[in-house]
Amino acid sequence: MIDRLASKQEKLVVGVMSGTSADGVDAALVRLRGSGDQLTWRFLRHETLHYSVKVRDLILRCCDPGGGDAASLCRLNVLLGELFARAVQNVAEKAGVDPAAIDLVGSHGQTVQNLPVPVTITGIPVRGSLQIGEPAVIAERTGITTVASFRARDLAAGGQGSPLVSFVDFLLFRNRSRGRLVLNIGGVASLTAIPASAPADRVVGFDTGPGNMVIDGLVSHMTGGRESLDHGGRYARGGRASDDLLAHLLDHPYLLLPPPKSCGREEFGRPFLDNILKENAALPPKDLIATATRFTAESIAFACRRYVMPHNVFEEAIVSGGGVRNDYLMEQLRAAIPELSIKESDEYGLPAAAKEAVAFAILANETIHGHSGNLPAATGASHPVVLGAIIPGRPSR
């Protein structure tokens, strides 16, 4: 079955992804031909299957320190597998494609813990990152061969397990004459720096810090859970950023760590949010949201200036992720890095909301071809590795 897939010149592939914001499953349908440097791609459709309030609460509870017991994680793993399968079927239906015609699914899953810094247990250094959304359920419900558990092999090779999207950024956006920064602003913000004409081993990638995570948490707190994001940045625009709080936030030790590095709710989740609320109770909620928005923009700019721009010339930044829809955040980002031409990935044929789902469709294709899908310069792995575990679809008759 795997050999047949690998030998097929052209494939219909669905990538599914649930990000740190935990607001739903993004599913992207793409047509792929070839692999690696010979890859050509065509974007076909993107759909988001939004989580109910109950499902999102279950996910966030399992992400919080001490919040998810083994039984809760076990059941949530299967529940998310069912929802991921529905997302695959939904994007196929909306695209007018028979699910039986889809060759492959690439599922990143839902990260509930990201622990890439090794801890020694019984003399063995242990690092890990847990993504749930049972791939066997996806394969069983859809009948489609599914690749999942992408991070584990990179971690086993000494890497951070993230950002894996940097490899896809390199394939899709490398340019002979222009140095490019590729940014994704989801719950976490990540960066891939691709110098002009650079080979893969000169590409740098890492998580810069928070994306929408802190903003979303403050909006949810202010509205009593009625809203979970700052639509268009209207709350931030109605507030005034606190310079003192911003300076304090920008002293966060994660920002000073050199890459390779990755982060998540462990650094910028509930405890971080609770500290902001506790220590700044006198600030109006909209001022807190404005400050958090500035924090995201300034931390991205800091990462660019400290870790990538001194080493190569970069003319433009290509931005994707939910943060693109926050107009105030994008204004702050442009003000923080005025020397860069900042564009949305939509201008390059890749809708901002679909970027990461497309990335895992492409990574699944690389896995089926037996090709490595990580960039050691980005993840810190000791060598390139083939990513993921393959769950076969329906048996051939």
Side-chain angles (χ1 to χ4, degrees), residues 106-359:
S107 174
H108 173 270
Q110 172 70 60
T111 299
V112 290
Q113 287 287 300
N114 185 54
L115 305 170
V117 177
V119 172
T120 301
I121 304 174
T122 64
I124 300 171
V126 175
R127 64 179 88 215
S129 186
L130 180 61
Q131 287 72 46
I132 60 175
E134 180 52 57
V137 173
I138 301 172
E140 178 64 22
R141 298 290 176 265
T142 64
I144 304 167
T145 296
T146 300
V147 182
S149 190
F150 284 94
R151 295 192 187 195
R153 187 66 181 273
D154 184 85
L155 284 155
Q160 297 270 316
S162 179
L164 299 179
V165 173
S166 290
F167 176 79
V168 178
D169 289 338
F170 173 70
L171 291 181
L172 301 189
F173 296 113
R174 66 192 188 279
N175 188 277
R176 290 188 176 184
S177 59
R178 294 175 70 81
R180 289 173 166 171
L181 302 180
V182 185
L183 302 171
N184 192 81
I185 308 176
V188 165
S190 62
L191 175 156
T192 305
I194 312 171
S197 297
D201 61 5
R202 287 187 55 212
V203 175
V204 175
F206 57 96
D207 291 341
T208 64
N212 305 310
M213 186 188 307
V214 182
I215 302 167
D216 292 350
L218 290 169
V219 170
S220 180
H221 178 81
M222 182 183 77
T223 64
R226 293 185 304 277
E227 298 181 57
S228 59
L229 69 157
D230 189 7
H231 294 278
R234 69 183 190 280
Y235 288 133
R237 198 180 297 281
R240 181 177 180 181
S242 163
D243 290 337
D244 289 343
L245 175 56
L246 178 61
H248 173 69
L249 295 176
L250 288 169
D251 276 338
H252 193 286
Y254 177 81
L255 306 184
L256 299 175
L257 286 174
K261 59 180 180 175
S262 60
C263 65
R265 291 192 175 275
E266 294 74 22
E267 291 81 12
F268 299 105
R270 173 56 61 181
F272 183 79
L273 180 68
D274 288 345
N275 283 337
I276 291 176
L277 292 168
K278 180 180 178 181
E279 295 173 6
N280 300 276
L283 283 177
K286 290 183 181 179
D287 288 4
L288 290 176
I289 295 169
T291 307
T293 306
R294 284 276 309 278
F295 177 41
T296 290
E298 295 287 349
S299 60
I300 292 171
F302 175 81
C304 293
R305 291 214 170 86
R306 186 178 182 97
Y307 299 118
V308 297
M309 294 172 73
H311 307 297
N312 286 286
V313 176
F314 297 96
E315 290 85 6
E316 61 187 1
I318 302 168
V319 190
S320 59
V324 166
R325 306 303 172 220
N326 185 325
D327 297 335
Y328 185 75
L329 172 58
M330 293 299 289
E331 289 172 18
Q332 296 304 308
L333 185 61
R334 289 187 169 97
I337 329 174
E339 61 268 43
L340 289 176
S341 170
I342 296 180
K343 302 176 181 179
E344 298 177 13
S345 63
D346 300 62
E347 297 184 40
Y348 298 83
L350 182 54
K355 158 73 179 302
E356 290 197 298
V358 168

